[in-house]
Amino acid sequence: MKFKMAEKSLFAILLRSPWWISLSITVVITGASKALLPPEYFFFGAMGGFPFVVIALITLWRQLRAPSTAHVAATLARVTAMSWRDFSAALEQALAREGFEARRLDTAAADFELLKAGRSVLLSAKRWKAARLGLEPFQALEAERSSRDASSCICVTTGHVTDQARAFAAAHQIRVIGGTELAQLLRPVLAER
C-alpha cells in the first residue's frame, strides 16, 4: 500500500533531498535536547529526531538503488532507438510489474488505460521520442481524462517538457515520467531482453 503525501510537506521535501540533510536535522535536535533539556528528559527530546533518522535511511536506500547517470543515458538511448511496438510492449510489461492492468486505447491523446485498485489512469506515451513536448499533448490528455472520467494522467517522454506544459501538467495533476524515473521503470524489463 502506498501512502500519498503532500509534495510540499517537510517529509516529502526531505525524501527528495540528499540523505545527509535529514541526518543533520537529527543531530541538531539531539544537540538542542542535550543543551536545553534537563538530563532526565534528554532521551525524550532526542527521540524527536527519530523520524528524521528514518527519512535519512529511506533516502539513502533510494539513492544507493538509483541508476547512475551513465546507466540512465544508456537506457534512454536504447529506449529512443526502439520502435513504437517494442517500446509500448516494454512499457506495458513494466506497468504490469508495478501492479497495473494496462488496456491499450485507440485515441490520439492516450495510449493506455491503467487500472489498479479501482482507479483508472490514462497514459500517453506515443510521443516518447519527441525532443520537446509543448502544451498541446497535455491539453489533449486532460480533455481525454475528463471525457473518460479517469482519476489522473501520466505522460511518458524522453524529451524536454516546456515550462508552460510543465505548469499545465502540475495544475491538472498530470504526472510526467522521463529521465531517471523512466529508466528505473524500464530497467527490469530491458534487462530481460
Side-chain angles (χ1 to χ4, degrees):
M1 175 182 219
K2 285 189 177 181
F3 294 100
K4 187 160 177 137
M5 163 183 333
E7 284 187 37
K8 294 183 181 177
S9 73
L10 175 62
F11 292 125
I13 292 168
L14 289 174
L15 283 169
R16 293 189 303 265
S17 301
W19 64 272
W20 55 267
I21 292 176
S22 297
L23 197 59
S24 299
I25 292 171
T26 302
V27 170
V28 168
I29 290 172
T30 304
S33 297
K34 182 77 171 162
L36 301 174
L37 295 176
E40 61 270 13
Y41 294 114
F42 164 73
F43 176 75
F44 298 106
M47 285 305 294
F50 182 72
F52 298 100
V53 171
V54 173
I55 295 288
L57 292 174
I58 291 170
T59 306
L60 177 62
W61 174 252
R62 284 182 178 174
Q63 290 171 0
L64 289 174
R65 287 184 45 220
S68 68
T69 306
H71 180 73
V72 169
T75 301
L76 293 179
R78 185 173 173 193
V79 165
T80 55
M82 297 172 109
S83 68
W84 167 248
R85 193 176 120 242
D86 293 339
F87 176 70
S88 63
L91 187 59
E92 193 171 6
Q93 189 178 356
L95 292 166
R97 291 174 83 101
E98 296 288 319
F100 289 99
E101 176 190 342
R103 294 183 185 163
R104 289 183 183 253
L105 298 176
D106 191 24
T107 69
D111 303 303
F112 294 98
E113 179 181 25
L114 309 177
L115 303 169
K116 184 177 183 179
R119 292 184 60 217
S120 170
V121 178
L122 296 183
L123 184 136
S124 172
K126 217 169 247 166
R127 297 181 68 173
W128 88 99
K129 286 186 186 186
R132 182 181 144 135
L133 277 182
L135 191 57
E136 300 81 22
F138 292 97
Q139 289 173 326
L141 187 57
E142 173 58 22
E144 188 71 23
R145 184 208 59 78
S146 184
S147 71
R148 288 182 177 267
D149 199 30
S151 59
S152 61
C153 299
I154 299 172
C155 181
V156 175
T157 182
T158 57
H160 172 73
V161 178
T162 65
D163 292 339
Q164 187 180 17
R166 196 167 292 282
F168 181 88
H172 292 88
Q173 298 177 343
I174 299 173
R175 183 174 165 201
V176 179
I177 295 179
T180 302
E181 190 175 5
L182 181 59
Q184 284 181 305
L185 177 67
L186 294 175
R187 181 169 52 173
V189 173
L190 295 178
E192 293 173 0
R193 293 177 176 224

